[in-house]
Amino acid sequence: MQPLIENIYTSDNAHVCAQVSALAEQSIDELLTNYPFIEDFFTENRLHDLGVFDKTGLTFADFLNSIHPQAAEDAALDKAEMYNSFFDFIIQMKEFLDLDDSSAVHSIRILPGTDKSGAPEAFSEIILYRSEIIAIVGPTGSGKSRLLADIEWAARGDTPTKRTVLVNDKMPDKAVRFSANNSLVAQLSQNMNFVMDLTVEEFIRLHAESRLVEDKDEAVRAVLEEANRLAGESFKLQTPVTALSGGQSRSLMIADTAILSSSPIVLIDEIENAGIDRKKALELLVSKEKIVLMATHDPALALYADRRIVIKNGGIAAVLETSGEEKALLAELEHIDEKLYKLRAALRNGERVG
């Protein structure tokens, strides 16, 4: 019987090839311990019928070598193809579950393009880091959504704005640009409407299961706790998601995104209208090392951000760091906001105000 050719895995990505080389040296038992999701691969490809679970002390290559040629023919098994598919599956699942820290997004660098009239944008570069809050300000229709689309699809000068977006200072490969599983941006829109007939617990648990979270009960508990910390009115695990108010829906999605989503960038559209504790929401997201981009018309939120990107006529007109003087003004605005919050709460509770 001819041995399986070693190092038959090929890829244009040197990092991927290095990962596969290291994985190929591990026994099936070690791979099952580190990546329990491969059991699904074995089952779906009927490798259990060929004795894979009886030979877990072997490497995957040695297991394939151990299959008698007649048995492989009867099972229509192409060993070389199965070898490649197996390691492709592990690599893709590691990326999907954000298990590979070396492929994690640490920074986004935006290089300038042009505005709607073709004039060059007024900045040299913008670098976005994890745990940073960036406000996007500008008139309605000025191009805020276009900026987010450029980041989400890691533009290479091939979008209407002609911008270029680098991930970790490199041109991202297709896995980042076009894979739905590796989306750079998680968007939380102004209106969150659920159509699924699920309870809050079922909704969170489904997301946790899709990300192969080991302690799903803890994930459910953590998301609910954070969501209720943000919401004006608390809700329970048994509450149908379709019965949640707008503020409760937004608080659930923000908590779920912070705790369970692998997207490094979170866009929040007009959080001032969310009916939630917006400051706590932003603090939660940055505590989970998210890059937070918020489109806002609220001066307090714009000044709460570390920086603000000013959009005009489809282009970035300015990038402003929040100054010390502006932070002092923010303290005044927050005091006014607190008084307004208490006034709204009193009116909602049917109290007299003076």
Side-chain angles (χ1 to χ4, degrees):
M1 178 174 59
Q2 292 295 321
L4 189 71
I5 300 174
E6 295 184 2
N7 299 321
I8 61 172
Y9 187 92
T10 57
S11 171
D12 294 334
N13 190 319
H15 173 63
V16 170
C17 288
Q19 286 189 78
V20 170
S21 179
L23 291 169
E25 295 177 0
Q26 297 181 41
S27 68
I28 293 172
D29 193 44
E30 290 173 319
L31 292 173
L32 281 166
T33 299
N34 295 327
Y35 313 109
F37 52 76
I38 65 173
E39 185 173 342
D40 293 334
F41 180 91
F42 295 153
T43 301
E44 290 176 9
N45 289 279
R46 304 187 64 81
L47 295 182
H48 58 288
D49 293 339
L50 296 172
V52 68
F53 294 115
D54 298 324
K55 301 176 181 179
T56 56
L58 302 178
T59 65
F60 190 64
D62 287 341
F63 160 68
L64 292 176
N65 274 334
S66 72
I67 300 173
H68 192 277
Q70 186 60 51
E73 184 177 342
D74 292 343
L77 174 66
D78 183 318
K79 294 183 180 181
E81 183 178 339
M82 183 61 66
Y83 182 89
N84 282 329
S85 297
F86 176 64
F87 290 111
D88 275 337
F89 177 77
I90 294 179
I91 297 298
Q92 289 170 14
M93 286 298 291
K94 285 178 64 181
E95 290 176 350
F96 175 70
L97 297 172
D98 203 20
L99 299 178
D100 181 14
D101 185 64
S102 63
S103 65
V105 176
H106 302 290
S107 68
I108 300 290
R109 187 183 298 266
I110 306 170
L111 304 180
T114 61
D115 64 14
K116 291 178 182 178
S117 64
E121 292 186 293
F123 71 98
S124 57
E125 65 177 14
I126 303 171
I127 306 176
L128 309 179
Y129 296 104
R130 286 182 179 266
S131 299
E132 187 176 27
I133 301 174
I134 308 293
I136 304 174
V137 299
T140 301
S142 59
K144 296 189 289 292
S145 296
R146 182 67 264 173
L147 171 60
L148 267 297
D150 285 348
I151 295 172
E152 185 170 12
W153 296 106
R156 291 185 175 182
D158 52 0
T159 67
T161 66
K162 305 290 192 298
R163 293 184 189 117
T164 297
V165 175
L166 305 179
V167 178
N168 297 339
D169 289 329
K170 298 178 181 178
M171 283 285 191
D173 57 26
K174 292 181 179 179
V176 172
R177 297 197 76 197
F178 304 118
S179 172
N181 292 339
N182 293 314
S183 177
L184 290 173
V185 179
Q187 297 204 33
L188 299 172
S189 63
Q190 186 175 352
N191 298 311
M192 306 297 300
N193 295 315
F194 292 100
V195 295
M196 297 175 289
D197 186 20
L198 297 173
T199 65
V200 169
E201 179 176 9
E202 289 169 336
F203 173 80
I204 302 171
R205 194 173 292 277
L206 276 175
H207 191 189
E209 288 175 353
S210 73
R211 303 210 60 77
L212 298 184
V213 173
E214 289 188 13
D215 193 343
K216 300 176 184 62
D217 291 337
E218 171 58 21
V220 170
R221 185 205 63 76
V223 171
L224 180 71
E225 180 180 325
E226 291 295 348
N228 278 328
R229 212 166 58 85
L230 305 179
E233 184 178 354
S234 63
F235 52 93
K236 300 179 179 180
L237 289 176
Q238 293 73 37
T239 304
V241 291
T242 52
L244 296 176
S245 68
Q248 289 172 328
S249 298
R250 293 266 289 207
S251 67
L252 174 60
M253 290 307 301
I254 289 173
D256 182 86
T257 297
I259 294 170
L260 292 177
S261 174
S262 64
S263 297
I265 302 173
V266 178
L267 164 68
I268 307 178
D269 184 26
E270 298 191 15
I271 192 174
E272 60 266 32
N273 299 326
I276 62 173
D277 190 321
R278 56 203 185 178
K279 189 173 180 180
K280 286 182 180 177
L282 295 173
E283 289 172 348
L284 171 63
L285 290 166
V286 297
S287 74
K288 302 299 181 180
E289 298 190 334
K290 304 291 186 183
I291 299 170
V292 180
L293 290 163
M294 57 177 178
T296 183
H297 298 289
D298 187 315
L301 285 175
L303 297 182
Y304 184 72
D306 301 292
R307 289 179 285 168
R308 57 189 184 273
I309 297 174
V310 183
I311 308 289
K312 293 181 181 179
N313 191 36
I316 295 175
V319 182
L320 305 174
E321 289 195 21
T322 306
S323 67
E325 185 178 355
E326 288 173 330
K327 286 296 185 184
L329 176 59
L330 173 62
E332 294 182 32
L333 291 174
E334 287 181 329
H335 180 64
I336 295 171
D337 269 356
E338 185 179 357
K339 295 179 77 171
L340 288 173
Y341 176 81
K342 290 179 178 178
L343 179 60
R344 281 194 296 266
L347 290 171
R348 286 170 178 166
N349 290 330
E351 300 172 11
R352 293 283 186 182
V353 296

